[in-house]
Amino acid sequence: MMFGAYPFFMFACTDVILQKLPNSSESPNLLLIVHGSGDTVEDWPTDMQSRILDSLSVDNNSEDNSWDVWTYDWDEYASSKLSASKSGYELGELLGSHLLEPSYSYEHIHLIAHSAGSFVIHGMAETLSHEDDLITIHSTFLDPFAGNGMINWKYGERNFGQYAHFAESYYNKDDSVPSTNGSLNFAHNFDGPVC
């Protein structure tokens, strides 16, 4: 009897732990970039962050203090394709709760995620929208992985974007990777070729 309960117990005790986040600032806006399963923050999010920061500096001819631009590395949890969606969602809830602490005072949060990272920003948006309806949320999904578990392959298509004030999804309907080739019900969808 004890042996049969063991796998369930192990699965139930796989709580994620939030990494340390940057300190709060005076910026009213946050842009957060999240990688997917099988890559890390060094694969592309850091480059995107640098380009955005460079663009903000050029556009304003100085350091723009109105935006904080962060990347979040969750590869410890994202590397497991079987549990990335569950862990990502739980991590997103933790991130959202942390950003609601008094030391942070963002008015607008733009979330960008690739693939399974979509679960991270979905959990964040849900938590933030339920706890503080004054924060506006913009979610950008890049080739979102929509599968949640072994049988719920359309979870993301039915749910991603519903807690954002504005959501957009860039996907490829001809993509051969399961659960990444559908449009999202709560987003503006843009179909394009696989790169």
PDB file of all heavy atoms in Angstrom, residues 12-49:
ATOM      1  N   ALA A  12       3.500  15.331  -5.754  1.00  0.00           N
ATOM      2  CA  ALA A  12       2.854  16.411  -5.001  1.00  0.00           C
ATOM      3  C   ALA A  12       3.861  17.291  -4.282  1.00  0.00           C
ATOM      4  O   ALA A  12       3.559  18.413  -3.930  1.00  0.00           O
ATOM      5  CB  ALA A  12       1.861  15.820  -4.001  1.00  0.00           C
ATOM      6  N   CYS A  13       5.058  16.815  -4.072  1.00  0.00           N
ATOM      7  CA  CYS A  13       6.061  17.565  -3.315  1.00  0.00           C
ATOM      8  C   CYS A  13       7.106  18.221  -4.202  1.00  0.00           C
ATOM      9  O   CYS A  13       8.216  18.468  -3.767  1.00  0.00           O
ATOM     10  CB  CYS A  13       6.736  16.639  -2.311  1.00  0.00           C
ATOM     11  SG  CYS A  13       5.626  16.087  -1.023  1.00  0.00           S
ATOM     12  N   THR A  14       6.803  18.487  -5.433  1.00  0.00           N
ATOM     13  CA  THR A  14       7.782  19.089  -6.339  1.00  0.00           C
ATOM     14  C   THR A  14       7.549  20.591  -6.461  1.00  0.00           C
ATOM     15  O   THR A  14       7.395  21.112  -7.555  1.00  0.00           O
ATOM     16  CB  THR A  14       7.734  18.421  -7.718  1.00  0.00           C
ATOM     17  OG1 THR A  14       6.409  18.575  -8.237  1.00  0.00           O
ATOM     18  CG2 THR A  14       8.124  16.967  -7.647  1.00  0.00           C
ATOM     19  N   ASP A  15       7.499  21.291  -5.349  1.00  0.00           N
ATOM     20  CA  ASP A  15       7.288  22.737  -5.369  1.00  0.00           C
ATOM     21  C   ASP A  15       8.491  23.458  -5.948  1.00  0.00           C
ATOM     22  O   ASP A  15       9.627  23.073  -5.719  1.00  0.00           O
ATOM     23  CB  ASP A  15       7.018  23.254  -3.958  1.00  0.00           C
ATOM     24  CG  ASP A  15       5.704  22.744  -3.407  1.00  0.00           C
ATOM     25  OD1 ASP A  15       4.812  22.388  -4.194  1.00  0.00           O
ATOM     26  OD2 ASP A  15       5.585  22.683  -2.184  1.00  0.00           O
ATOM     27  N   VAL A  16       8.241  24.503  -6.685  1.00  0.00           N
ATOM     28  CA  VAL A  16       9.312  25.302  -7.270  1.00  0.00           C
ATOM     29  C   VAL A  16       9.758  26.368  -6.272  1.00  0.00           C
ATOM     30  O   VAL A  16       9.016  26.748  -5.371  1.00  0.00           O
ATOM     31  CB  VAL A  16       8.871  25.950  -8.592  1.00  0.00           C
ATOM     32  CG1 VAL A  16       8.548  24.889  -9.631  1.00  0.00           C
ATOM     33  CG2 VAL A  16       7.717  26.886  -8.397  1.00  0.00           C
ATOM     34  N   ILE A  17      10.969  26.835  -6.464  1.00  0.00           N
ATOM     35  CA  ILE A  17      11.532  27.877  -5.603  1.00  0.00           C
ATOM     36  C   ILE A  17      11.887  29.066  -6.480  1.00  0.00           C
ATOM     37  O   ILE A  17      12.531  28.921  -7.520  1.00  0.00           O
ATOM     38  CB  ILE A  17      12.783  27.361  -4.861  1.00  0.00           C
ATOM     39  CG1 ILE A  17      12.391  26.198  -3.952  1.00  0.00           C
ATOM     40  CG2 ILE A  17      13.441  28.485  -4.075  1.00  0.00           C
ATOM     41  CD1 ILE A  17      13.565  25.474  -3.338  1.00  0.00           C
ATOM     42  N   LEU A  18      11.468  30.239  -6.075  1.00  0.00           N
ATOM     43  CA  LEU A  18      11.700  31.462  -6.825  1.00  0.00           C
ATOM     44  C   LEU A  18      13.146  31.921  -6.649  1.00  0.00           C
ATOM     45  O   LEU A  18      13.653  31.984  -5.532  1.00  0.00           O
ATOM     46  CB  LEU A  18      10.743  32.550  -6.314  1.00  0.00           C
ATOM     47  CG  LEU A  18      10.688  33.854  -7.071  1.00  0.00           C
ATOM     48  CD1 LEU A  18      10.158  33.630  -8.481  1.00  0.00           C
ATOM     49  CD2 LEU A  18       9.801  34.844  -6.343  1.00  0.00           C
ATOM     50  N   GLN A  19      13.805  32.229  -7.760  1.00  0.00           N
ATOM     51  CA  GLN A  19      15.141  32.812  -7.699  1.00  0.00           C
ATOM     52  C   GLN A  19      15.026  34.264  -7.240  1.00  0.00           C
ATOM     53  O   GLN A  19      13.980  34.888  -7.370  1.00  0.00           O
ATOM     54  CB  GLN A  19      15.792  32.798  -9.078  1.00  0.00           C
ATOM     55  CG  GLN A  19      16.091  31.445  -9.626  1.00  0.00           C
ATOM     56  CD  GLN A  19      16.668  31.560 -11.037  1.00  0.00           C
ATOM     57  OE1 GLN A  19      16.911  32.637 -11.556  1.00  0.00           O
ATOM     58  NE2 GLN A  19      16.873  30.415 -11.658  1.00  0.00           N
ATOM     59  N   LYS A  20      16.131  34.787  -6.764  1.00  0.00           N
ATOM     60  CA  LYS A  20      16.158  36.182  -6.342  1.00  0.00           C
ATOM     61  C   LYS A  20      15.883  37.089  -7.544  1.00  0.00           C
ATOM     62  O   LYS A  20      16.437  36.903  -8.613  1.00  0.00           O
ATOM     63  CB  LYS A  20      17.521  36.511  -5.742  1.00  0.00           C
ATOM     64  CG  LYS A  20      17.616  37.900  -5.156  1.00  0.00           C
ATOM     65  CD  LYS A  20      18.970  38.111  -4.521  1.00  0.00           C
ATOM     66  CE  LYS A  20      19.143  39.401  -3.811  1.00  0.00           C
ATOM     67  NZ  LYS A  20      18.614  40.594  -4.304  1.00  0.00           N
ATOM     68  N   LEU A  21      15.013  38.049  -7.359  1.00  0.00           N
ATOM     69  CA  LEU A  21      14.676  39.008  -8.406  1.00  0.00           C
ATOM     70  C   LEU A  21      15.466  40.299  -8.212  1.00  0.00           C
ATOM     71  O   LEU A  21      15.919  40.592  -7.105  1.00  0.00           O
ATOM     72  CB  LEU A  21      13.180  39.323  -8.374  1.00  0.00           C
ATOM     73  CG  LEU A  21      12.237  38.172  -8.666  1.00  0.00           C
ATOM     74  CD1 LEU A  21      10.790  38.641  -8.571  1.00  0.00           C
ATOM     75  CD2 LEU A  21      12.512  37.584 -10.031  1.00  0.00           C
ATOM     76  N   PRO A  22      15.607  41.096  -9.269  1.00  0.00           N
ATOM     77  CA  PRO A  22      16.267  42.397  -9.114  1.00  0.00           C
ATOM     78  C   PRO A  22      15.538  43.252  -8.076  1.00  0.00           C
ATOM     79  O   PRO A  22      14.342  43.080  -7.843  1.00  0.00           O
ATOM     80  CB  PRO A  22      16.155  43.020 -10.500  1.00  0.00           C
ATOM     81  CG  PRO A  22      16.010  41.855 -11.425  1.00  0.00           C
ATOM     82  CD  PRO A  22      15.225  40.829 -10.647  1.00  0.00           C
ATOM     83  N   ASN A  23      16.276  44.168  -7.490  1.00  0.00           N
ATOM     84  CA  ASN A  23      15.679  45.077  -6.517  1.00  0.00           C
ATOM     85  C   ASN A  23      14.669  45.987  -7.202  1.00  0.00           C
ATOM     86  O   ASN A  23      14.729  46.212  -8.412  1.00  0.00           O
ATOM     87  CB  ASN A  23      16.754  45.927  -5.833  1.00  0.00           C
ATOM     88  CG  ASN A  23      17.658  45.080  -4.963  1.00  0.00           C
ATOM     89  OD1 ASN A  23      17.233  44.075  -4.398  1.00  0.00           O
ATOM     90  ND2 ASN A  23      18.907  45.481  -4.870  1.00  0.00           N
ATOM     91  N   SER A  24      13.777  46.514  -6.419  1.00  0.00           N
ATOM     92  CA  SER A  24      12.774  47.430  -6.954  1.00  0.00           C
ATOM     93  C   SER A  24      13.452  48.716  -7.418  1.00  0.00           C
ATOM     94  O   SER A  24      14.556  49.048  -7.000  1.00  0.00           O
ATOM     95  CB  SER A  24      11.726  47.733  -5.896  1.00  0.00           C
ATOM     96  OG  SER A  24      12.332  48.348  -4.783  1.00  0.00           O
ATOM     97  N   SER A  25      12.770  49.425  -8.283  1.00  0.00           N
ATOM     98  CA  SER A  25      13.275  50.698  -8.776  1.00  0.00           C
ATOM     99  C   SER A  25      12.118  51.680  -8.815  1.00  0.00           C
ATOM    100  O   SER A  25      11.002  51.346  -8.436  1.00  0.00           O
ATOM    101  CB  SER A  25      13.891  50.527 -10.163  1.00  0.00           C
ATOM    102  OG  SER A  25      12.869  50.390 -11.121  1.00  0.00           O
ATOM    103  N   GLU A  26      12.380  52.845  -9.321  1.00  0.00           N
ATOM    104  CA  GLU A  26      11.340  53.859  -9.457  1.00  0.00           C
ATOM    105  C   GLU A  26      10.566  53.723 -10.764  1.00  0.00           C
ATOM    106  O   GLU A  26       9.613  54.459 -11.000  1.00  0.00           O
ATOM    107  CB  GLU A  26      11.962  55.258  -9.374  1.00  0.00           C
ATOM    108  CG  GLU A  26      12.667  55.540  -8.049  1.00  0.00           C
ATOM    109  CD  GLU A  26      11.699  55.495  -6.872  1.00  0.00           C
ATOM    110  OE1 GLU A  26      10.582  56.036  -6.993  1.00  0.00           O
ATOM    111  OE2 GLU A  26      12.064  54.914  -5.843  1.00  0.00           O
ATOM    112  N   SER A  27      10.975  52.797 -11.614  1.00  0.00           N
ATOM    113  CA  SER A  27      10.330  52.635 -12.920  1.00  0.00           C
ATOM    114  C   SER A  27       8.878  52.199 -12.764  1.00  0.00           C
ATOM    115  O   SER A  27       8.582  51.275 -12.010  1.00  0.00           O
ATOM    116  CB  SER A  27      11.078  51.594 -13.751  1.00  0.00           C
ATOM    117  OG  SER A  27      12.398  51.991 -13.979  1.00  0.00           O
ATOM    118  N   PRO A  28       7.967  52.813 -13.506  1.00  0.00           N
ATOM    119  CA  PRO A  28       6.566  52.398 -13.429  1.00  0.00           C
ATOM    120  C   PRO A  28       6.250  51.182 -14.299  1.00  0.00           C
ATOM    121  O   PRO A  28       5.184  50.603 -14.181  1.00  0.00           O
ATOM    122  CB  PRO A  28       5.809  53.628 -13.936  1.00  0.00           C
ATOM    123  CG  PRO A  28       6.769  54.308 -14.861  1.00  0.00           C
ATOM    124  CD  PRO A  28       8.143  54.036 -14.299  1.00  0.00           C
ATOM    125  N   ASN A  29       7.193  50.811 -15.184  1.00  0.00           N
ATOM    126  CA  ASN A  29       6.950  49.747 -16.149  1.00  0.00           C
ATOM    127  C   ASN A  29       8.007  48.649 -16.055  1.00  0.00           C
ATOM    128  O   ASN A  29       9.186  48.934 -15.871  1.00  0.00           O
ATOM    129  CB  ASN A  29       6.963  50.307 -17.571  1.00  0.00           C
ATOM    130  CG  ASN A  29       6.031  51.468 -17.744  1.00  0.00           C
ATOM    131  OD1 ASN A  29       4.835  51.350 -17.507  1.00  0.00           O
ATOM    132  ND2 ASN A  29       6.569  52.619 -18.132  1.00  0.00           N
ATOM    133  N   LEU A  30       7.552  47.425 -16.249  1.00  0.00           N
ATOM    134  CA  LEU A  30       8.453  46.276 -16.269  1.00  0.00           C
ATOM    135  C   LEU A  30       8.224  45.479 -17.538  1.00  0.00           C
ATOM    136  O   LEU A  30       7.084  45.215 -17.917  1.00  0.00           O
ATOM    137  CB  LEU A  30       8.194  45.366 -15.061  1.00  0.00           C
ATOM    138  CG  LEU A  30       8.902  43.996 -15.068  1.00  0.00           C
ATOM    139  CD1 LEU A  30      10.418  44.163 -14.981  1.00  0.00           C
ATOM    140  CD2 LEU A  30       8.386  43.125 -13.926  1.00  0.00           C
ATOM    141  N   LEU A  31       9.315  45.083 -18.196  1.00  0.00           N
ATOM    142  CA  LEU A  31       9.270  44.149 -19.301  1.00  0.00           C
ATOM    143  C   LEU A  31      10.062  42.917 -18.852  1.00  0.00           C
ATOM    144  O   LEU A  31      11.217  43.034 -18.470  1.00  0.00           O
ATOM    145  CB  LEU A  31       9.893  44.744 -20.561  1.00  0.00           C
ATOM    146  CG  LEU A  31       9.707  43.900 -21.826  1.00  0.00           C
ATOM    147  CD1 LEU A  31       9.522  44.809 -23.039  1.00  0.00           C
ATOM    148  CD2 LEU A  31      10.851  42.967 -22.044  1.00  0.00           C
ATOM    149  N   LEU A  32       9.417  41.755 -18.870  1.00  0.00           N
ATOM    150  CA  LEU A  32      10.038  40.518 -18.410  1.00  0.00           C
ATOM    151  C   LEU A  32      10.077  39.513 -19.551  1.00  0.00           C
ATOM    152  O   LEU A  32       9.051  39.237 -20.175  1.00  0.00           O
ATOM    153  CB  LEU A  32       9.262  39.929 -17.229  1.00  0.00           C
ATOM    154  CG  LEU A  32       9.761  38.603 -16.686  1.00  0.00           C
ATOM    155  CD1 LEU A  32      11.142  38.751 -16.063  1.00  0.00           C
ATOM    156  CD2 LEU A  32       8.784  38.050 -15.653  1.00  0.00           C
ATOM    157  N   ILE A  33      11.270  38.961 -19.824  1.00  0.00           N
ATOM    158  CA  ILE A  33      11.477  38.021 -20.916  1.00  0.00           C
ATOM    159  C   ILE A  33      11.776  36.639 -20.326  1.00  0.00           C
ATOM    160  O   ILE A  33      12.676  36.498 -19.503  1.00  0.00           O
ATOM    161  CB  ILE A  33      12.649  38.471 -21.811  1.00  0.00           C
ATOM    162  CG1 ILE A  33      12.446  39.925 -22.264  1.00  0.00           C
ATOM    163  CG2 ILE A  33      12.814  37.529 -22.999  1.00  0.00           C
ATOM    164  CD1 ILE A  33      13.707  40.576 -22.790  1.00  0.00           C
ATOM    165  N   VAL A  34      11.009  35.625 -20.772  1.00  0.00           N
ATOM    166  CA  VAL A  34      11.122  34.266 -20.224  1.00  0.00           C
ATOM    167  C   VAL A  34      11.382  33.272 -21.363  1.00  0.00           C
ATOM    168  O   VAL A  34      10.639  33.248 -22.342  1.00  0.00           O
ATOM    169  CB  VAL A  34       9.821  33.867 -19.479  1.00  0.00           C
ATOM    170  CG1 VAL A  34       9.938  32.482 -18.878  1.00  0.00           C
ATOM    171  CG2 VAL A  34       9.473  34.893 -18.409  1.00  0.00           C
ATOM    172  N   HIS A  35      12.423  32.460 -21.211  1.00  0.00           N
ATOM    173  CA  HIS A  35      12.746  31.444 -22.220  1.00  0.00           C
ATOM    174  C   HIS A  35      11.829  30.237 -22.089  1.00  0.00           C
ATOM    175  O   HIS A  35      11.033  30.132 -21.166  1.00  0.00           O
ATOM    176  CB  HIS A  35      14.215  31.017 -22.100  1.00  0.00           C
ATOM    177  CG  HIS A  35      14.546  30.343 -20.803  1.00  0.00           C
ATOM    178  ND1 HIS A  35      14.301  29.010 -20.568  1.00  0.00           N
ATOM    179  CD2 HIS A  35      15.108  30.828 -19.665  1.00  0.00           C
ATOM    180  CE1 HIS A  35      14.693  28.695 -19.352  1.00  0.00           C
ATOM    181  NE2 HIS A  35      15.177  29.783 -18.779  1.00  0.00           N
ATOM    182  N   GLY A  36      11.956  29.309 -23.014  1.00  0.00           N
ATOM    183  CA  GLY A  36      11.135  28.103 -23.013  1.00  0.00           C
ATOM    184  C   GLY A  36      11.878  26.897 -22.485  1.00  0.00           C
ATOM    185  O   GLY A  36      12.934  27.016 -21.874  1.00  0.00           O
ATOM    186  N   SER A  37      11.329  25.736 -22.742  1.00  0.00           N
ATOM    187  CA  SER A  37      11.938  24.487 -22.310  1.00  0.00           C
ATOM    188  C   SER A  37      13.057  24.122 -23.285  1.00  0.00           C
ATOM    189  O   SER A  37      12.893  24.216 -24.490  1.00  0.00           O
ATOM    190  CB  SER A  37      10.887  23.378 -22.282  1.00  0.00           C
ATOM    191  OG  SER A  37      11.449  22.174 -21.822  1.00  0.00           O
ATOM    192  N   GLY A  38      14.197  23.722 -22.743  1.00  0.00           N
ATOM    193  CA  GLY A  38      15.313  23.314 -23.585  1.00  0.00           C
ATOM    194  C   GLY A  38      16.291  24.428 -23.896  1.00  0.00           C
ATOM    195  O   GLY A  38      17.273  24.210 -24.591  1.00  0.00           O
ATOM    196  N   ASP A  39      16.038  25.633 -23.408  1.00  0.00           N
ATOM    197  CA  ASP A  39      17.025  26.689 -23.564  1.00  0.00           C
ATOM    198  C   ASP A  39      17.164  27.448 -22.250  1.00  0.00           C
ATOM    199  O   ASP A  39      16.513  27.114 -21.261  1.00  0.00           O
ATOM    200  CB  ASP A  39      16.703  27.615 -24.737  1.00  0.00           C
ATOM    201  CG  ASP A  39      15.330  28.267 -24.677  1.00  0.00           C
ATOM    202  OD1 ASP A  39      14.587  28.024 -23.730  1.00  0.00           O
ATOM    203  OD2 ASP A  39      15.005  29.033 -25.605  1.00  0.00           O
ATOM    204  N   THR A  40      18.036  28.433 -22.242  1.00  0.00           N
ATOM    205  CA  THR A  40      18.278  29.206 -21.028  1.00  0.00           C
ATOM    206  C   THR A  40      18.204  30.689 -21.359  1.00  0.00           C
ATOM    207  O   THR A  40      18.064  31.070 -22.521  1.00  0.00           O
ATOM    208  CB  THR A  40      19.679  28.903 -20.419  1.00  0.00           C
ATOM    209  OG1 THR A  40      20.680  29.487 -21.262  1.00  0.00           O
ATOM    210  CG2 THR A  40      19.917  27.411 -20.274  1.00  0.00           C
ATOM    211  N   VAL A  41      18.378  31.495 -20.353  1.00  0.00           N
ATOM    212  CA  VAL A  41      18.333  32.946 -20.532  1.00  0.00           C
ATOM    213  C   VAL A  41      19.483  33.412 -21.439  1.00  0.00           C
ATOM    214  O   VAL A  41      19.364  34.423 -22.127  1.00  0.00           O
ATOM    215  CB  VAL A  41      18.354  33.649 -19.154  1.00  0.00           C
ATOM    216  CG1 VAL A  41      19.701  33.559 -18.487  1.00  0.00           C
ATOM    217  CG2 VAL A  41      17.901  35.077 -19.268  1.00  0.00           C
ATOM    218  N   GLU A  42      20.565  32.640 -21.497  1.00  0.00           N
ATOM    219  CA  GLU A  42      21.720  33.020 -22.322  1.00  0.00           C
ATOM    220  C   GLU A  42      21.514  32.710 -23.804  1.00  0.00           C
ATOM    221  O   GLU A  42      22.247  33.204 -24.641  1.00  0.00           O
ATOM    222  CB  GLU A  42      22.980  32.321 -21.812  1.00  0.00           C
ATOM    223  CG  GLU A  42      23.391  32.744 -20.416  1.00  0.00           C
ATOM    224  CD  GLU A  42      23.626  34.242 -20.285  1.00  0.00           C
ATOM    225  OE1 GLU A  42      24.120  34.874 -21.235  1.00  0.00           O
ATOM    226  OE2 GLU A  42      23.303  34.790 -19.207  1.00  0.00           O
ATOM    227  N   ASP A  43      20.544  31.870 -24.146  1.00  0.00           N
ATOM    228  CA  ASP A  43      20.355  31.502 -25.545  1.00  0.00           C
ATOM    229  C   ASP A  43      19.816  32.648 -26.396  1.00  0.00           C
ATOM    230  O   ASP A  43      20.237  32.831 -27.515  1.00  0.00           O
ATOM    231  CB  ASP A  43      19.434  30.278 -25.661  1.00  0.00           C
ATOM    232  CG  ASP A  43      20.118  29.018 -25.167  1.00  0.00           C
ATOM    233  OD1 ASP A  43      21.297  28.817 -25.501  1.00  0.00           O
ATOM    234  OD2 ASP A  43      19.477  28.248 -24.435  1.00  0.00           O
ATOM    235  N   TRP A  44      18.845  33.400 -25.900  1.00  0.00           N
ATOM    236  CA  TRP A  44      18.319  34.542 -26.661  1.00  0.00           C
ATOM    237  C   TRP A  44      17.747  35.655 -25.790  1.00  0.00           C
ATOM    238  O   TRP A  44      17.799  36.819 -26.192  1.00  0.00           O
ATOM    239  CB  TRP A  44      17.274  34.091 -27.688  1.00  0.00           C
ATOM    240  CG  TRP A  44      16.074  33.464 -27.055  1.00  0.00           C
ATOM    241  CD1 TRP A  44      15.903  32.148 -26.754  1.00  0.00           C
ATOM    242  CD2 TRP A  44      14.897  34.128 -26.597  1.00  0.00           C
ATOM    243  NE1 TRP A  44      14.683  31.956 -26.132  1.00  0.00           N
ATOM    244  CE2 TRP A  44      14.043  33.158 -26.033  1.00  0.00           C
ATOM    245  CE3 TRP A  44      14.467  35.453 -26.613  1.00  0.00           C
ATOM    246  CZ2 TRP A  44      12.799  33.458 -25.485  1.00  0.00           C
ATOM    247  CZ3 TRP A  44      13.222  35.760 -26.070  1.00  0.00           C
ATOM    248  CH2 TRP A  44      12.413  34.765 -25.525  1.00  0.00           C
ATOM    249  N   PRO A  45      17.199  35.382 -24.593  1.00  0.00           N
ATOM    250  CA  PRO A  45      16.612  36.481 -23.817  1.00  0.00           C
ATOM    251  C   PRO A  45      17.592  37.592 -23.434  1.00  0.00           C
ATOM    252  O   PRO A  45      17.223  38.769 -23.443  1.00  0.00           O
ATOM    253  CB  PRO A  45      16.055  35.780 -22.575  1.00  0.00           C
ATOM    254  CG  PRO A  45      15.730  34.402 -23.050  1.00  0.00           C
ATOM    255  CD  PRO A  45      16.853  34.082 -23.997  1.00  0.00           C
ATOM    256  N   THR A  46      18.833  37.244 -23.125  1.00  0.00           N
ATOM    257  CA  THR A  46      19.805  38.270 -22.749  1.00  0.00           C
ATOM    258  C   THR A  46      20.087  39.201 -23.922  1.00  0.00           C
ATOM    259  O   THR A  46      20.201  40.418 -23.754  1.00  0.00           O
ATOM    260  CB  THR A  46      21.101  37.619 -22.230  1.00  0.00           C
ATOM    261  OG1 THR A  46      20.780  36.804 -21.100  1.00  0.00           O
ATOM    262  CG2 THR A  46      22.117  38.659 -21.809  1.00  0.00           C
ATOM    263  N   ASP A  47      20.177  38.633 -25.123  1.00  0.00           N
ATOM    264  CA  ASP A  47      20.381  39.454 -26.322  1.00  0.00           C
ATOM    265  C   ASP A  47      19.179  40.363 -26.557  1.00  0.00           C
ATOM    266  O   ASP A  47      19.330  41.547 -26.858  1.00  0.00           O
ATOM    267  CB  ASP A  47      20.635  38.550 -27.534  1.00  0.00           C
ATOM    268  CG  ASP A  47      20.924  39.350 -28.785  1.00  0.00           C
ATOM    269  OD1 ASP A  47      21.817  40.219 -28.745  1.00  0.00           O
ATOM    270  OD2 ASP A  47      20.245  39.113 -29.806  1.00  0.00           O
ATOM    271  N   MET A  48      17.970  39.816 -26.398  1.00  0.00           N
ATOM    272  CA  MET A  48      16.765  40.632 -26.567  1.00  0.00           C
ATOM    273  C   MET A  48      16.739  41.761 -25.535  1.00  0.00           C
ATOM    274  O   MET A  48      16.428  42.914 -25.869  1.00  0.00           O
ATOM    275  CB  MET A  48      15.511  39.773 -26.428  1.00  0.00           C
ATOM    276  CG  MET A  48      14.210  40.554 -26.576  1.00  0.00           C
ATOM    277  SD  MET A  48      12.733  39.539 -26.359  1.00  0.00           S
ATOM    278  CE  MET A  48      12.395  39.151 -28.065  1.00  0.00           C
ATOM    279  N   GLN A  49      17.074  41.446 -24.299  1.00  0.00           N
ATOM    280  CA  GLN A  49      17.126  42.454 -23.246  1.00  0.00           C
ATOM    281  C   GLN A  49      18.092  43.584 -23.613  1.00  0.00           C
ATOM    282  O   GLN A  49      17.748  44.767 -23.500  1.00  0.00           O
ATOM    283  CB  GLN A  49      17.547  41.797 -21.927  1.00  0.00           C
ATOM    284  CG  GLN A  49      17.715  42.765 -20.788  1.00  0.00           C
ATOM    285  CD  GLN A  49      18.355  42.101 -19.571  1.00  0.00           C
ATOM    286  OE1 GLN A  49      19.224  41.238 -19.699  1.00  0.00           O
ATOM    287  NE2 GLN A  49      17.911  42.509 -18.390  1.00  0.00           N
TER     288      GLN A  49
END
